[in-house]
Amino acid sequence: MNSGLERAGFKVRGIAFMLDFLIVSIPFAFLFSIVNDDFSLEFTQGFSWDIGYGFYLTVLPVIWSGYIIGKRIFRIHVVKVNGKRLTLLDMFIREIIGKLGLAYLTFGLSSVISAAMVAFLKDRRSIHDHLSGTCVDHSY
């Protein structure tokens, strides 16, 4: 277990996620505005965006040692609780099944519960962290 690292809390994880979303979505909005002659972030409300962004959230941490852009800026990253290297399967379970899939199936309730788990539980692990055997730690 990664007991030597400090777990990232609700605020830093939330801010990192929001920043990451903006950093990734705004360039796409500019590209779509060139094609559609209208700047909007509405495209992020569809299932296609969820799949594309889910792919990004799944693949990049495997390649980049647990980081996505927002997490890298705030020096937090996803790690396996057992200390092993993240795999594509770990991240697929975490992001696609544990976050996206459960959120759709529970109409967002699992996202609220996960946020509360990170905010109030000592281990700061959400539902998707438990399913995938991961946690989010500071990387000092």
Side-chain angles (χ1 to χ4, degrees):
M1 187 167 185
N2 285 336
S3 58
L5 297 175
E6 181 185 335
R7 297 280 165 85
F10 177 78
K11 286 183 203 173
V12 71
R13 286 173 72 162
I15 294 168
F17 181 79
M18 287 187 284
L19 179 63
D20 187 80
F21 175 80
L22 291 173
I23 288 170
V24 173
S25 65
I26 288 177
F28 279 100
F30 280 116
L31 290 174
F32 282 111
S33 71
I34 292 169
V35 173
N36 298 326
D37 202 29
D38 179 36
F39 183 83
S40 171
L41 289 175
E42 283 184 25
F43 69 92
T44 63
Q45 302 305 308
F47 188 70
S48 300
W49 171 259
D50 288 344
I51 297 301
Y53 195 60
F55 180 80
Y56 158 80
L57 294 173
T58 301
V59 174
L60 189 60
V62 174
I63 296 168
W64 206 14
S65 302
Y67 293 102
I68 56 174
I69 297 166
K71 281 184 171 71
R72 183 66 160 195
I73 291 168
F74 283 91
R75 303 174 104 194
I76 60 175
H77 65 296
V78 178
V79 295
K80 290 288 289 178
V81 174
N82 64 12
K84 293 184 179 179
R85 183 173 168 84
L86 281 175
T87 67
L88 197 55
L89 180 60
D90 296 328
M91 291 308 297
F92 180 81
I93 291 168
R94 184 179 198 277
E95 298 297 332
I96 304 303
I97 295 172
K99 260 192 205 172
L100 186 62
L102 279 178
Y104 272 104
L105 288 173
T106 64
F107 303 101
L109 183 60
S110 64
S111 298
V112 173
I113 293 168
S114 283
M117 290 170 70
V118 172
F120 299 113
L121 295 181
K122 186 177 180 181
D123 71 355
R124 304 214 184 274
R125 292 175 67 208
S126 61
I127 294 170
H128 53 274
D129 286 320
H130 283 279
L131 289 173
S132 61
T134 62
C135 61
V136 179
D137 281 343
H138 287 276
S139 54
Y140 299 110

